């Protein structure tokens, strides 16, 4: 038996699995998540969207049986999305109505558009299960790293069991923060070993944004957790930066992927082209944008499949929904961030995806 199992069992028990929600509901979402994430499940990816639609539709009908209220700011943002579609000519091949429907279902199931006690319990439990599974896969990824020529089956260098390094690296960063949280809350120093493993894999998978987000995430957690002990929080932040810098100096030979990515002109030029297209679209329609999930630039959307490559998610929101939609979205984001910091409870073991 794993020595950590009592801690995990207590943490899971706090999420009240006995609530009146079918267990297959959670299992379906977990399977759906990994259909899109794990390389070994890629042959079954055709099941991803049908399964997701069924699960989210069931979520809507279940929530409507309970008391719930609508979030006005999120409803306003959704209305801006609809208006941007009406106000702009968009090619039918982009399937905007289906994308808008999928976005609404996603907002309803996981977003802030509906406030419900039962839905909150559902999100807390589901994210707890997903986070624990992500932590387990981080250990699996490290074992794959130790075996020569394993973990490179996906795209973008080392991916572990995942399909792409751009997906693997953020998940490694999330697991690192979670292991850090586990170690602090439980007092088990052994949990800082998988924390170090997660940090190593985050950097090794060569995502600069994920590495920077990991550092910022650790700082935000430290400041929130020790918000009444600012000196200690500052010391933890400085120690984290020092350890990461020292680790980079000692093990920089392992991080050739991120060094190569930093020096590669092709990836930078590709991103610069996409960012330049976003800026042109913002200039073209600064107030209402060019339309929800739309682009008028040839490099961004495949005219056949409608697949989007924005270059920068924030700039894409600004270019597609204009200043109005961007400001409302930013307000929703900042509100959630402020609430997560100001209402941080040291005794709360609920685990949310960052």
């Amino acid at each position: 038996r794993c020595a950590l199992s009592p801690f995990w069992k207590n943490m899971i028990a706090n999420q009240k699995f006995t609530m009146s929600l079918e267990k297959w509901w959670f299992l379906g979402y977990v399977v759906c998540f990994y259909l899109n994430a794990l390389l070994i499940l890629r042959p079954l990816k055709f099941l991803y969207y049908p399964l997701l639609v069924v699960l989210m539709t069931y979520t809507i009908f279940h929530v409507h049986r309970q008391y719930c209220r609508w979030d006005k700011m999120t409803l306003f943002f959704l209305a801006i999305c609809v208006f941007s579609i009406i106000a702009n000519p968009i090619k039918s091949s982009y399937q905007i109505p289906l994308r808008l429907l999928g976005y609404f279902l996603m907002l309803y199931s996981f977003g802030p558009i509906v406030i419900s006690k039962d839905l909150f319990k559902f999100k807390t439990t589901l994210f707890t299960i997903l986070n624990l599974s992500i932590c387990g896969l981080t250990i699996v990824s490290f074992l794959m790293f130790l075996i020569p020529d394993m973990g490179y089956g996906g795209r973008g260098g080392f991916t572990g069991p995942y399909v792409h390094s751009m997906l693997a690296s953020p998940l490694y960063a999330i697991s690192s923060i979670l292991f850090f949280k586990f170690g602090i809350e439980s007092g088990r120093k052994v949990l800082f070993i998988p924390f170090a493993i997660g940090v190593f894999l985050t950097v090794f998978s060569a995502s600069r944004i994920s590495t920077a987000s990991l550092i910022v995430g650790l700082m935000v957690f430290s400041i929130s957790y020790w918000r009444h002990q600012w000196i200690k929080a500052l010391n933890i932040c400085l120690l984290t930066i020092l350890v990461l810098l020292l680790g980079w100096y000692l093990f920089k030979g392992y991080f050739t992927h991120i060094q190569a990515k930093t020096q590669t002109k092709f990836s930078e030029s590709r991103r610069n082209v996409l960012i330049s297209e976003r800026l042109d679209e913002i200039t073209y329609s600064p107030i209402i944008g060019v339309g929800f999930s739309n682009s008028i630039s040839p490099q961004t959307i495949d005219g056949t499949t409608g697949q989007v490559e924005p270059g920068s998610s924030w700039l894409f929101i600004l270019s597609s929904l204009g200043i109005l939609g961007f400001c409302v979205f930013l307000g929703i984001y900042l509100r959630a961030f402020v609430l997560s910091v100001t209402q941080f409870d040291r005794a709360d073991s609920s685990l949310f995806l960052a």
Side-chain angles (χ1 to χ4, degrees):
R1 293 184 177 231
C2 179
L4 305 180
S5 60
F7 171 70
W8 283 19
K9 286 179 181 178
N10 291 335
M11 180 174 57
I12 295 176
N14 290 335
Q15 308 308 322
K16 296 183 177 63
F17 273 95
T18 56
M19 59 183 163
S20 57
L21 297 173
E22 290 81 350
K23 291 183 179 180
W24 65 264
W25 193 13
F26 296 107
L27 180 61
Y29 274 113
V30 173
V31 170
C32 200
F33 175 77
Y34 284 114
L35 279 175
N36 202 38
L38 294 182
L39 185 64
I40 194 174
L41 297 179
R42 292 298 281 179
L44 300 177
K45 190 183 176 182
F46 66 93
L47 297 174
Y48 174 76
Y49 286 109
L51 179 59
L52 187 62
V53 170
V54 170
L55 290 169
M56 291 190 298
T57 303
Y58 177 82
T59 302
I60 290 179
F61 284 103
H62 177 84
V63 173
H64 268 306
R65 299 174 190 169
Q66 312 295 335
Y67 169 77
C68 62
R69 61 186 179 89
W70 297 86
D71 181 69
K72 296 179 181 178
M73 183 179 291
T74 311
L75 279 177
F76 182 52
F77 177 74
L78 193 62
I80 292 175
C81 294
V82 175
F83 177 74
S84 70
I85 294 174
I86 298 174
N88 288 281
I90 302 176
K91 295 181 180 179
S92 59
S93 59
Y94 295 161
Q95 299 180 330
I96 297 300
L98 289 178
R99 291 188 178 187
L100 182 64
L101 175 61
Y103 186 62
F104 172 77
L105 291 174
M106 190 72 71
L107 276 179
Y108 202 109
S109 300
F110 308 110
I113 194 170
V114 173
I115 301 172
S116 166
K117 185 177 180 179
D118 285 340
L119 188 58
F120 176 79
K121 291 180 180 178
F122 160 72
K123 294 176 186 177
T124 304
T125 305
L126 178 60
F127 289 153
T128 299
I129 297 172
L130 287 175
N131 279 324
L132 293 178
S133 64
I134 289 171
C135 290
L137 284 174
T138 296
I139 304 301
V140 172
S141 297
F142 184 68
L143 295 176
M144 295 176 68
F145 167 79
L146 297 177
I147 302 174
D149 300 327
M150 283 202 68
Y152 293 89
R155 296 175 55 193
F158 181 79
T159 62
Y162 298 105
V163 297
H164 202 297
S165 61
M166 292 181 64
L167 172 63
S169 189
L171 296 181
Y172 294 148
I174 290 173
S175 67
S176 301
I177 297 175
L178 292 172
F179 279 125
F180 185 77
K181 173 183 170 67
F182 295 163
I184 293 297
E185 291 185 341
S186 67
R188 297 175 181 269
K189 296 182 180 179
V190 68
L191 287 169
F192 290 105
I193 297 176
F195 160 70
I197 290 174
V199 173
F200 172 81
L201 291 176
T202 302
V203 179
F204 187 72
S205 55
S207 173
R208 292 162 290 179
I209 296 298
S210 296
T211 303
S213 299
L214 170 60
I215 297 173
V216 174
L218 290 173
M219 290 182 178
V220 171
F221 173 82
S222 300
I223 293 173
S224 301
Y225 189 82
W226 288 289
R227 63 189 182 278
H228 301 304
Q229 305 176 47
W230 285 97
I231 300 299
K232 188 172 183 178
L234 181 61
N235 290 335
I236 293 294
C237 291
L238 293 177
L239 180 63
T240 300
I241 296 176
L242 180 62
V243 169
L244 290 173
L245 291 176
L246 181 62
W248 173 268
Y249 177 76
L250 294 176
F251 303 103
K252 60 182 178 181
Y254 287 99
F255 303 139
T256 53
H257 295 292
I258 196 169
Q259 291 173 342
K261 189 173 182 179
T262 303
Q263 299 169 0
T264 299
K265 293 183 179 180
F266 175 76
S267 61
E268 291 299 325
S269 61
R270 171 65 175 172
R271 176 167 293 185
N272 290 337
V273 168
L274 294 173
I275 291 178
S276 177
E277 290 183 344
R278 299 291 77 69
L279 295 177
D280 291 340
E281 290 173 347
I282 294 170
T283 304
Y284 176 78
S285 181
I287 305 301
I288 63 173
V290 296
F292 170 80
S293 192
N294 183 43
S295 174
I296 58 175
S297 304
Q299 295 288 338
T300 301
I301 293 187
D302 189 321
T304 304
T305 64
Q307 184 176 355
V308 178
E309 186 179 357
S312 168
S313 300
W314 289 97
L315 281 180
F316 187 69
I317 294 173
L318 180 58
S319 65
S320 59
L321 298 178
I323 297 175
L324 181 60
F326 180 82
C327 289
V328 177
F329 181 85
L330 185 62
I332 297 173
Y333 183 88
L334 292 177
R335 180 184 62 178
F337 178 79
V338 171
L339 287 175
S340 67
V341 174
T342 57
Q343 297 185 11
F344 188 91
D345 186 355
R346 291 176 58 171
D348 182 19
S349 61
S350 300
L351 304 176
F352 292 94
L353 287 172

